[in-house]
């Protein structure tokens, strides 16, 4: 069998396993959150509020330079939180700003954003003109998206997901919702592993998931099987909750303890935001 | 004679759309007893534990707990439910079911918090049970990162934090390494010495001698085919063989091929 044909036939299996590996790595890995870095040492509540302040600043400022300085601060925090820079940049810069660039592309041209021409060229008999306001607007948009996404990714990388969910309680999200989402998150890993194991078992019996049609059948069967097991397990988990006294209104542990360092960080973050706002206003 | 905790009378139960799981079970359990329910797979052992924990209710017959009939309606009342569940704790066979919180610490705290225990006291209990089960180092871990043995110990800790009078164990040693099995048996024996009632569903005959004074054997007819002291039941080889609890076993021993029944270790000669 040729290599190309083999790859084609393996497509479904590779897609499934890659998706599961990505899910485990992207959403379930807490390796960065467990490192002993600056952001990891902060109380999640204070950290979330400060990052919210940064986000509001990033989306409100109208100067790409000022937003860029916020991005610089974000990279500084990446360094002090002991997160590998290339790992962070791969997660943020490679994909999301690329998509924003696609969105913003039409606004570069005079037909959408009129103004002083910077560069013109002919394409399909049409004279396309890129304008200065168009370039400025696109630059502002891309920098804003890159900074916002970076801030959100940094927050989620340096905070354990369970803590991040608990912070939602600060904003009045009901305890039941927090518990339900936490449980979904907790069982995601279990089901991802289960699906992986099914594929391994299948491979051990039939060698590989062969034909396209056959592969589709296996994926469909897998979905049905996982659905069945999920339903069964949800009933059993509910029983386990009842067994330990759950009566419909869950009580959860509040483990947060603020220190002077947290207050100092929040103060610094607010001063930085206020400074940027002031600078943006006077520009 | 100590007080009766559970009285099971002619209990029958069927899971929806499935064959009957229990077909007329009678049993009396007294405070401070060590009881084992043994039987092959699918004989209704886990179903019985779920009935005793008030998670499912018999279609026929009745279960009485602490002198009161265990009814679904009575457990709808939060006060009554808490009163019962503080006293009875179930360690599920599958620890992944029992550990539904995002961290070990929260899983241990879940039970006491539902019963309104103050957070300071909950934190003290977390430390206590972590010491008893040697799981200090696991407290801030997420359950899915633990090994099966660690999960089992955390599952027991989550029930121990409630400090119930009755412990129900569903296959507590299944699939565990010998050292973890030893820790769990020690825990069960010590809990019983402190006056706790221990009810265990298992088909691991090697541990019966230590964890039970009384043994009930469940047969394929989903009924108790024999009940008695652990010694008398374990010595009844015909009973154990007819109920799929022992089998003919062939292996090499001292350089010779050796054929005998697969029996609890203490009876291996």
């Amino acid at each position: 069998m040729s290599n190309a044909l083999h790859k084609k036939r393996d497509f479904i299996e590779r897609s499934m396993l890659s998706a599961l590996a990505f899910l485990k790595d992207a959403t379930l890995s807490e390796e960065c959150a467990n490192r002993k870095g600056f952001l990891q040492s902060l109380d999640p509540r204070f950290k979330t509020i400060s990052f919210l302040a940064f986000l509001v600043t990033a989306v409100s400022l109208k100067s790409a330079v000022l937003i860029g300085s916020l991005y610089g601060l974000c990279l500084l925090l990446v360094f002090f939180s002991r997160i590998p820079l290339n790992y962070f940049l791969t997660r943020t810069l490679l994909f999301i700003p690329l998509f924003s660039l696609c969105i913003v592309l039409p606004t570069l041209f005079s037909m959408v954003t009129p103004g002083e021409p910077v560069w013109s060229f002919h394409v399909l008999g049409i004279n396309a003109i890129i304008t200065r306001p168009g370039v400025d607007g696109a630059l502002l948009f891309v920098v804003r998206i890159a900074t916002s996404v970076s801030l959100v990714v940094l927050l989620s990388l340096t905070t354990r997901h369970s803590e991040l969910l608990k912070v939602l309680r600060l904003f009045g999200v009901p305890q039941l919702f927090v518990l339900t989402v936490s449980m979904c998150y907790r069982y995601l890993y279990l089901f991802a592993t289960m699906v992986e194991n099914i594929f391994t078992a299948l491979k051990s019996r039939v060698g590989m998931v062969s034909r396209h049609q056959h592969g589709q059948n296996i994926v469909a069967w897998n979905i049905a099987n996982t659905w069945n097991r999920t339903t069964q397990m949800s009933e059993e988990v509910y029983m386990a909750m009842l067994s330990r006294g759950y009566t419909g209104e869950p009580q959860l542990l509040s483990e947060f303890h603020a220190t002077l360092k947290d207050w100092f960080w929040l103060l610094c973050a607010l001063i930085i935001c206020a400074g940027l706002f002031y600078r943006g206003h006077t520009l | 004679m100590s007080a009766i905790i559970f009285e099971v009378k002619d209990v029958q139960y069927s899971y929806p759309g499935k064959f009957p799981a229990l077909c007329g079970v009678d049993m009396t359990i007294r405070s401070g007893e060590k009881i084992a329910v043994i039987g092959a797979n699918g004989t209704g052992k886990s179903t019985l534990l779920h009935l005793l924990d008030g998670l499912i209710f018999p279609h026929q017959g009745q279960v009485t707990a602490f002198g009161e009939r265990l009814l679904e309606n009575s457990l709808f009342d939060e006060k009554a439910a808490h009163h019962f569940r503080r006293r009875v704790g179930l360690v599920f066979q599958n620890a992944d079911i029992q550990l539904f919180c995002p961290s070990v610490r929260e899983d241990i705290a879940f039970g006491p918090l539902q019963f309104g225990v103050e957070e300071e006291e909950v934190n003290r209990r977390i430390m206590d049970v972590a010491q008893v089960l040697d799981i200090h180092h696991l407290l801030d871990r997420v359950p899915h990162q633990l090994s099966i043995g660690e999960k089992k110990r955390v599952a027991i800790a989550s029930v121990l934090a409630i400090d119930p009078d009755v412990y129900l164990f569903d296959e507590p040693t299944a699939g565990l390494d010998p050292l973890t099995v030893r820790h769990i048996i020690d825990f069960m024996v010590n809990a019983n010495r402190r006056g706790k009632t221990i009810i265990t569903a298992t088909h691991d005959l090697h541990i019966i001698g230590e964890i039970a004074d009384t043994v009930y054997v469940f047969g394929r007819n989903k009924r108790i085919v024999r009940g008695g002291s652990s010694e008398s039941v374990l010595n009844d080889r015909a009973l154990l063989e007819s109920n799929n609890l022992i089998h003919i076993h062939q292996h090499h021993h001292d350089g010779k091929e050796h054929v005998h029944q697969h029996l609890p270790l203490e009876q291996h000669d």
Side-chain angles (χ1 to χ4, degrees):
Chain A
M1 195 190 324
S2 75
N3 211 14
L5 191 62
H6 180 94
K7 276 187 177 174
K8 197 177 173 185
R9 286 183 176 182
D10 251 4
F11 174 72
I12 291 174
E13 182 196 354
R14 283 188 295 120
S15 306
M16 284 286 285
L17 294 180
S18 303
L20 290 171
F22 175 77
L23 178 78
K24 279 185 172 179
D25 178 56
T27 63
L28 301 166
S29 167
E30 294 193 334
E31 200 249 324
C32 289
N34 290 331
R35 290 186 185 187
K36 291 193 187 310
F38 173 69
L39 285 176
Q40 291 90 332
S41 70
L42 294 174
D43 183 310
R45 293 170 301 178
F46 287 74
K47 194 171 24 175
T48 308
I49 293 171
S50 61
F51 271 68
L52 269 178
F54 288 147
L55 273 175
V56 170
T57 310
V59 296
S60 308
L61 287 174
K62 291 189 173 110
S63 156
V65 177
L66 290 180
I67 299 173
S69 65
L70 206 55
Y71 183 69
L73 173 71
C74 179
L75 293 183
L76 211 62
L77 289 171
V78 168
F79 175 75
F80 285 115
S81 303
R82 298 185 178 184
I83 295 169
L85 194 62
N86 54 351
Y87 174 74
F88 180 77
L89 292 178
T90 316
R91 279 191 158 212
T92 51
L93 284 187
L94 209 60
F95 299 106
I96 300 154
L98 271 180
F99 289 115
S100 64
L101 212 60
C102 295
I103 296 165
V104 91
L105 204 63
T107 64
L108 288 170
F109 298 96
S110 58
M111 61 195 92
V112 178
T113 320
E116 181 196 338
V118 180
W119 187 40
S120 66
F121 55 93
H122 287 274
V123 60
L124 299 169
I126 302 166
N127 187 25
I129 302 163
I130 293 177
T131 63
R132 186 164 296 286
V135 172
D136 290 346
L139 186 70
L140 180 67
F141 184 76
V142 172
V143 172
R144 188 176 279 162
I145 294 280
T147 307
S148 306
V149 168
S150 299
L151 285 167
V152 172
V153 170
L154 182 59
L155 177 67
S156 69
L157 276 178
T158 56
T159 318
R160 296 175 67 190
H161 295 81
S162 56
E163 289 174 340
L164 212 47
L165 283 169
K166 274 191 175 181
V167 173
L168 290 176
R169 293 280 299 127
L170 268 185
F171 306 102
V173 177
Q175 193 91 280
L176 186 63
F177 178 82
V178 174
L179 179 71
T180 309
V181 178
S182 308
M183 286 171 69
C184 289
Y185 170 77
R186 185 254 177 272
Y187 284 103
L188 257 183
Y189 188 92
L190 196 73
F191 287 113
T193 309
M194 194 178 81
V195 173
E196 259 179 359
N197 289 343
I198 290 172
F199 267 96
T200 312
L202 202 71
K203 240 179 143 175
S204 78
R205 274 184 279 174
V206 296
M208 64 176 211
V209 180
S210 52
R211 293 202 180 90
H212 189 65
Q213 182 66 41
H214 187 212
Q216 281 181 343
N217 290 343
I218 285 167
V219 171
W221 175 83
N222 234 316
I223 292 169
N225 183 45
T226 310
W227 171 259
N228 272 341
R229 290 209 198 180
T230 314
T231 315
Q232 191 185 346
M233 191 170 244
S234 67
E235 283 170 18
E236 289 173 332
V237 169
Y238 181 63
M239 276 191 183
M241 292 172 73
L242 285 180
S243 178
R244 270 149 66 200
Y246 174 72
T247 50
E249 285 189 27
Q251 302 298 318
L252 302 177
L253 208 57
S254 56
E255 295 167 71
F256 300 135
H257 301 287
T259 60
L260 201 63
K261 183 180 169 187
D262 298 306
W263 285 104
F264 183 68
W265 160 251
L266 185 63
L267 188 70
C268 287
L270 293 177
I271 289 171
I272 291 167
C273 292
L276 286 170
F277 267 119
Y278 177 74
R279 188 79 188 112
H281 187 69
T282 53
L283 268 178
Chain B
M1 193 174 274
S2 47
I4 292 174
I5 288 185
F6 287 113
E7 211 162 11
V8 180
K9 279 187 187 165
D10 189 31
V11 162
Q12 299 188 24
Y13 184 84
S14 299
Y15 288 101
K18 290 183 185 170
F19 292 108
L22 288 175
C23 301
V25 169
D26 293 280
M27 186 185 263
T28 301
I29 298 165
R30 292 178 181 278
S31 172
E33 280 189 325
K34 275 194 292 180
I35 289 182
V37 179
I38 62 172
N41 293 330
T43 49
K45 304 185 297 291
S46 299
T47 306
L48 177 74
L49 293 193
H50 286 188
L51 281 162
L52 294 179
D53 199 31
L55 298 173
I56 52 176
F57 298 89
H59 295 147
Q60 208 173 304
Q62 64 178 60
V63 177
T64 308
F66 307 103
E68 283 180 35
R69 196 168 166 195
L70 208 52
L71 296 167
E72 194 164 11
N73 289 343
S74 62
L75 290 181
F76 280 145
D77 175 51
E78 189 177 315
K79 207 173 163 188
H82 279 181
H83 179 69
F84 173 75
R85 302 210 182 279
R86 264 177 207 267
R87 303 183 75 180
V88 184
L90 170 63
V91 179
F92 284 73
Q93 181 177 356
N94 181 356
D96 271 318
I97 285 167
Q98 188 140 8
L99 307 180
F100 46 78
C101 292
S103 77
V104 167
R105 188 185 296 276
E106 286 168 275
D107 256 316
I108 298 172
F110 186 85
L113 284 173
Q114 307 319 302
F115 297 128
V117 177
E118 293 293 321
E119 261 197 49
E120 202 177 320
E121 168 64 12
V122 172
N123 285 321
R124 194 188 60 74
R125 286 194 196 183
I126 291 171
M127 290 303 153
D128 286 351
V129 300
Q131 192 173 1
V132 171
L133 290 152
D134 192 21
I135 52 168
H136 263 117
H137 58 295
L138 305 177
L139 286 178
D140 293 316
R141 298 264 299 273
V142 286
H144 66 71
Q145 289 175 343
L146 307 180
S147 69
I148 298 173
E150 288 171 335
K151 279 182 191 171
K152 191 57 112 180
R153 278 193 282 166
V154 174
I156 293 173
S158 70
V159 175
L160 178 61
I162 299 168
D163 193 27
D165 299 328
V166 183
Y167 283 88
L168 307 170
F169 288 95
D170 195 356
E171 302 283 4
T173 56
L176 301 181
D177 62 76
L179 189 63
T180 311
V181 169
R182 189 67 253 158
H183 282 150
I184 289 173
I185 292 173
D186 287 346
F187 169 78
M188 294 163 85
V189 171
N190 287 332
N192 182 251
R193 281 188 192 139
R194 287 187 286 118
K196 307 292 181 185
T197 308
I198 308 286
I199 305 166
T200 311
T202 183
H203 47 223
D204 188 354
L205 299 188
H206 300 116
I207 64 169
I208 301 290
E210 285 188 88
I211 60 154
D213 297 325
T214 307
V215 176
Y216 291 96
V217 182
F218 274 58
R220 285 183 186 175
N221 57 3
K222 326 275 181 179
R223 290 178 183 187
I224 294 172
V225 291
R226 166 92 184 266
S229 71
S230 56
E231 203 181 343
S232 67
V233 170
L234 290 178
N235 283 328
D236 191 342
R237 296 184 181 200
L239 171 79
L240 298 177
E241 202 176 331
S242 64
N243 285 287
N244 267 8
L245 288 161
I246 51 173
H247 59 91
I248 299 297
H249 184 67
Q250 182 175 351
H251 65 170
H252 284 277
H253 206 20
D254 294 334
K256 286 182 286 185
E257 195 146 284
H258 188 70
V259 180
H260 65 86
Q261 284 176 319
H262 198 209
L263 290 166
L265 282 177
E266 57 270 29
Q267 293 182 38
H268 188 292
D269 48 32

